[in-house]
Amino acid sequence: MFRGKKILITGGTGSLGTALTSRLLNEGVDTIRIFSRNENKQITMESKFKDDRLRFLLGDIRDYSRLVRAMEDIDIVFHAAALKHVPIIEYNPFEAIKTNVIGSQNVIDACLEENIPKAVAVGTDKAVSPLNTYGATKLLMEKLFVTASNYLQKDRHQTNFVALRYGNVLGSSGSVIPKFIEQIKNKEKITITDPSMTRFSITMDEALDFILKATEISKGSEIFIPKLQAYSISGIKDALFDLLGNTGSDIIGIREGEKMNEVLLNREEIRYSWEYENMYMVLNPLSKNNVPIDEYSNATKVDSMDEYSSDSVKKFSIEEMKKIITNSKLLTK
Ligand SMILES: NC(=O)c1ccc[n+]([C@@H]2O[C@H](COP(=O)([O-])OP(=O)(O)OC[C@H]3O[C@@H](n4cnc5c(N)ncnc54)[C@H](OP(=O)(O)O)[C@@H]3O)[C@@H](O)[C@H]2O)c1
């Protein structure tokens, strides 16, 4: 579905945006417009890719008119731009609302104005029953997206707005494994919040497979969630000490706004949830446009699950963690 298509990625210079760009170029897209604020990141990305199908647009998703201009003739919008660092957002909540909520609303409005066929928003497990401001802003982003399929475009058609949710991308900017690796390489003790804390884990390649698959099967108003395994912080510590040597650890305690375990599907959502072999799909009970479920081939109803949380799913063994970390090439970066 991507061959020959014109794509816009908000946040295209970020960890996900860069990896998605690479994958979409291999899928034979016509053009990718990268939309973000920092010119230096764009210059670095441009010289890394050297591909004339890429266009770099400076812009802020807080600026609606800039988004409208950027979306001219686009077929698919991937909305990945966000503020995402939990402690920074706790301290600067107004800024997160402007980017993650109002910016997302601007993306939706611009899609409707420019008659975009499909728009996919990238979300997080932290949006489920949120405890911190980041999660709350991403919950609102999801809500805006799954409801927006009800609205008509300027040409009276509909945009298929879709939301995705997944857990920590291994090695993405600001994530815990690169931080621990740096501490160990510097012969420092690693700083652990709580050894029994668990998190869903997804590699960048798995996240890309999931994003492209969900984009293909979506018809509008759904939330898609991949089926994932999880790790505990003590599991990561043991795997990294085995790989790099034991420099010791300090327990610094759970931070403001953090949960011990993350949830990808809460109890209430199970009622509206369907599953595929590798993912779940939550249908929006308030959508006016839900297509009949038999049009989603191979989706079966989820009925025997309580909650899909990182403490309830299978954990990676230490050996599996070591293999994942080694394959991710994070040790050599
Ligand atoms: N990383 C994870 O583990 C993870 C897990 C689940 C979901 N997610 C979600 O996935 C998305 C991408 O995450 P990531 O890890 O790739 O983040 P990232 O590396 O921090 O990238 C964020 C991107 O957004 C851009 N951006 C930020 N504010 C913007 C604004 N106001 N206007 C336009 N562009 C803006 C940044 O570029 P400039 O600063 O130059 O504007 C950058 O390109 C986010 O929505 C995040 O919530 C991430």
Side-chain angles (χ1 to χ4, degrees):
M1 89 167 273
F2 301 101
R3 183 159 295 279
K5 292 286 173 10
K6 294 187 168 66
I7 313 279
L8 175 91
I9 308 179
T10 71
T13 55
S15 309
L16 173 68
T18 311
L20 184 59
T21 299
S22 184
R23 178 69 76 89
L24 287 170
L25 290 173
N26 287 336
E27 294 279 327
V29 295
D30 176 273
T31 317
I32 303 179
R33 290 185 201 148
I34 301 293
F35 187 97
S36 65
R37 297 165 306 169
N38 184 308
E39 58 183 343
N40 291 327
K41 287 191 216 165
Q42 292 198 351
I43 288 167
T44 307
M45 184 169 173
E46 189 172 24
S47 59
K48 179 181 160 203
F49 278 90
K50 290 194 182 67
D51 191 310
D52 60 13
R53 289 173 292 168
L54 290 186
R55 307 274 183 280
F56 289 87
L57 280 74
L58 282 174
D60 191 321
I61 57 168
R62 298 179 186 186
D63 179 352
Y64 165 73
S65 56
R66 181 66 180 140
L67 277 169
V68 170
R69 183 61 56 85
M71 282 192 202
E72 202 177 64
D73 289 332
I74 288 290
D75 299 301
I76 306 173
V77 170
F78 289 98
H79 174 39
L83 297 176
K84 67 163 198 184
H85 292 276
V86 170
I88 292 178
I89 291 176
E90 286 306 292
Y91 197 63
N92 300 277
F94 289 10
E95 296 306 305
I97 289 167
K98 283 185 207 153
T99 295
N100 296 359
V101 183
I102 299 169
S104 298
Q105 186 177 344
N106 287 336
V107 170
I108 290 168
D109 282 338
C111 286
L112 294 170
E113 180 65 22
E114 284 301 310
N115 305 318
I116 305 296
K118 186 167 289 219
V120 181
V122 183
T124 162
D125 47 11
K126 294 183 175 59
V128 184
S129 316
L131 184 67
N132 54 50
T133 313
Y134 169 56
T137 60
K138 294 296 272 190
L139 170 66
L140 286 173
M141 179 202 76
E142 264 187 14
K143 295 280 183 200
L144 292 172
F145 259 72
V146 297
T147 312
S149 297
N150 290 337
Y151 306 142
L152 289 179
Q153 301 169 342
K154 201 166 77 176
D155 76 355
R156 313 296 295 163
H157 289 88
Q158 269 150 342
T159 301
N160 285 344
F161 288 101
V162 189
L164 313 179
R165 241 184 227 170
Y166 50 73
N168 291 0
V169 178
L170 203 100
S172 63
S173 56
S175 61
V176 69
I177 297 178
K179 184 178 164 194
F180 285 172
I181 291 173
E182 198 188 325
Q183 289 174 322
I184 297 172
K185 283 187 175 168
N186 291 339
K187 309 270 180 252
E188 293 164 8
K189 287 184 178 178
I190 62 171
T191 45
I192 288 179
T193 49
D194 189 309
S196 55
M197 183 181 266
T198 65
R199 290 291 180 264
F200 285 107
S201 179
I202 187 166
T203 64
M204 189 58 91
D205 279 341
E206 288 166 344
L208 294 174
D209 291 343
F210 161 69
I211 291 170
L212 297 199
K213 186 75 199 158
T215 303
E216 266 180 70
I217 62 179
S218 63
K219 300 177 194 303
S221 278
E222 314 92 338
I223 303 170
F224 287 95
I225 296 138
K227 293 186 178 173
L228 299 177
Q229 280 186 231
Y231 58 73
S232 67
I233 299 293
S234 67
I236 291 188
K237 178 192 81 164
D238 293 343
L240 285 175
F241 282 174
D242 269 9
L243 288 166
L244 296 171
N246 186 340
T247 55
S249 57
D250 275 333
I251 309 249
I252 54 173
I254 191 162
R255 293 177 304 180
E256 182 76 12
E258 273 186 331
K259 289 181 183 173
M260 279 301 292
N261 307 297
E262 296 289 356
V263 176
L264 269 168
L265 263 176
N266 71 26
R267 242 175 232 124
E268 282 65 30
E269 290 174 319
I270 303 287
R271 275 184 279 152
Y272 314 108
S273 296
W274 298 75
E275 69 181 306
Y276 291 91
E277 192 185 348
N278 298 323
M279 62 176 115
Y280 295 104
M281 170 176 76
V282 186
L283 294 181
N284 175 8
L286 299 176
S287 173
K288 292 192 226 147
N289 306 303
N290 278 347
V291 297
I293 191 65
D294 39 328
E295 288 188 24
Y296 292 92
S297 39
N298 303 324
T300 54
K301 186 78 191 70
V302 179
D303 49 18
S304 61
M305 201 162 70
D306 187 27
E307 184 175 73
Y308 182 43
S309 66
S310 57
D311 58 334
S312 67
V313 299
K314 187 165 176 268
K315 306 290 170 305
F316 290 112
S317 68
I318 307 293
E319 287 312 309
E320 284 170 329
M321 247 0 270
K322 281 163 63 177
K323 206 185 247 171
I324 293 170
I325 294 169
T326 308
N327 290 343
S328 71
K329 304 202 170 58
L330 286 169
L331 296 173
T332 51
K333 272 186 188 160

